[in-house]
């Protein structure tokens, strides 16, 4: 129930991951992408959720959760063909 409050924290964590001394990496960073996108989707920001999950997929192509979440947001945006393809 605190998605709006969580979003800036996830964004800072992901932005900080670009630095060499990032406190977030690996599985935690992948989950930050999942959770940031999920927070956007929960508050109806489907387009932003899609953008977050696509960025996560570009960084972590082996992550199997991100395409599933992406498909749900594509469904919300009535992009049913892309959702079913995923």
């Amino acid at each position: 129930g605190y998605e709006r409050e969580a979003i800036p924290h996830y964004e800072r964590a992901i932005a900080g991951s670009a630095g060499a001394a990032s406190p977030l990496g690996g599985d935690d960073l992948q989950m930050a992408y999942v959770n940031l996108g999920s927070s956007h989707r929960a508050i109806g920001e489907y387009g932003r959720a899609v953008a977050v999950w696509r960025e996560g997929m570009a960084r972590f192509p082996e992550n199997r959760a991100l395409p599933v979440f992406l498909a749900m947001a594509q469904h919300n945006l009535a992009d049913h063909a892309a959702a079913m393809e995923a």
Side-chain angles (χ1 to χ4, degrees):
Y2 294 98
E3 289 86 0
R4 288 186 194 281
E5 294 84 355
I7 287 171
H9 297 287
Y10 289 127
E11 290 174 337
R12 280 193 299 276
I14 290 170
S17 70
S22 171
L24 202 60
D27 292 341
D28 291 333
L29 181 56
Q30 292 181 55
M31 285 308 301
Y33 276 102
V34 170
N35 292 331
L36 175 57
S38 293
S39 295
H40 281 295
R41 184 174 175 263
I43 63 173
E45 295 178 347
Y46 307 123
R48 183 66 188 124
V50 166
V52 167
W53 288 324
R54 283 188 176 147
E55 180 181 323
M57 289 168 57
R59 287 184 80 172
F60 301 101
E62 74 286 352
N63 185 297
R64 303 300 297 155
L66 290 164
V68 174
F69 283 97
L70 173 64
M72 290 188 296
Q74 289 170 320
H75 173 76
N76 292 126
L77 291 168
D79 190 355
H80 304 297
M84 291 304 297
E85 185 177 316

